[in-house]
Amino acid sequence: RGYMDEVDNLRTFYDLKLVDQVSAHVRRIKKDLASAEDEARLFNSREALFNKEVTQYDLLRDVAKKFEPYGNMWESVDSWLKQHKAWLSNPFSELDAESVESSAQTILRTLKKCEKKFENVPGCLDVTRTILKEVAAFVPHLPLIIALRQKGLRERHWEAISAKSGKRVQPDDAWTLQT
């Protein structure tokens, strides 16, 4: 019952300023649930070994199922906020465009699923939609990021891009996505 109460309590967290604390709490709950599931499997294997009736851990499965959207949402929010900040501020020349695309698309898909799950959990729905809007606004830029990170781009390409954009585009260590 203790795990169920902790999961039920997750609906009360909806302040984005507390994302570090909430995501750490969610990671701990996830770890605890995984540990409990491992123990349940161990107990079941021992029961089977001694020809005992195998115990059903339905409540544990129910708790894990109820926890999943909260865990997915807070892990995605935490991941987005940290990665997005790094993508914008780190040197463009160090960006792994395919990794950026993969992470952003995964977060987008996960948050869309969470949005459906949280229709009756207003605070969590607000957090989900806030970050979902940010991710959705970023995703259309992915093809440009991927194109600009092509290894085959030469000086003449950067000059042409600069001429057409009206801005100096020259990725060096000082150039970032915010530049």
Side-chain angles (χ1 to χ4, degrees), residues 77-97:
V77 167
D78 185 50
S79 178
W80 169 255
L81 292 174
K82 289 175 180 166
Q83 290 184 62
H84 186 244
K85 181 179 179 182
W87 296 334
L88 293 180
S89 60
N90 289 345
F92 184 75
S93 59
E94 294 176 10
L95 272 185
D96 178 349

Side-chain angles (χ1 to χ4, degrees), residues 53-112:
E53 187 177 332
V54 176
T55 305
Q56 298 299 313
Y57 292 97
D58 296 334
L59 182 58
L60 182 57
R61 273 191 289 281
D62 293 346
V63 170
K65 185 174 180 167
K66 190 171 187 176
F67 169 77
E68 187 177 19
Y70 293 101
N72 289 343
M73 186 265 288
W74 283 108
E75 287 177 343
S76 295
V77 167
D78 185 50
S79 178
W80 169 255
L81 292 174
K82 289 175 180 166
Q83 290 184 62
H84 186 244
K85 181 179 179 182
W87 296 334
L88 293 180
S89 60
N90 289 345
F92 184 75
S93 59
E94 294 176 10
L95 272 185
D96 178 349
E98 285 76 25
S99 175
V100 171
E101 179 184 40
S102 175
S103 291
Q105 293 290 1
T106 299
I107 292 168
L108 183 71
R109 278 190 308 277
T110 301
L111 290 178
K112 282 183 178 181

Side-chain angles (χ1 to χ4, degrees), residues 81-178:
L81 292 174
K82 289 175 180 166
Q83 290 184 62
H84 186 244
K85 181 179 179 182
W87 296 334
L88 293 180
S89 60
N90 289 345
F92 184 75
S93 59
E94 294 176 10
L95 272 185
D96 178 349
E98 285 76 25
S99 175
V100 171
E101 179 184 40
S102 175
S103 291
Q105 293 290 1
T106 299
I107 292 168
L108 183 71
R109 278 190 308 277
T110 301
L111 290 178
K112 282 183 178 181
K113 289 177 189 174
C114 290
E115 184 179 33
K116 292 175 186 164
K117 297 276 187 181
F118 290 134
E119 286 178 350
N120 297 317
V121 187
C124 292
L125 183 61
D126 291 344
V127 170
T128 301
R129 286 184 173 161
T130 297
I131 301 302
L132 191 54
K133 285 179 190 172
E134 289 182 22
V135 178
F138 181 79
V139 165
H141 301 288
L142 291 171
L144 179 61
I145 293 168
I146 291 169
L148 292 176
R149 284 295 297 134
Q150 295 298 313
K151 296 191 185 328
L153 291 179
R154 303 285 180 247
E155 186 62 35
R156 61 187 163 91
H157 298 118
W158 294 113
E159 290 169 3
I161 293 168
S162 295
K164 287 188 180 188
S165 69
K167 289 185 172 185
R168 183 181 172 279
V169 180
Q170 185 61 47
D172 53 23
D173 287 342
W175 203 68
T176 67
L177 282 178
Q178 289 179 321

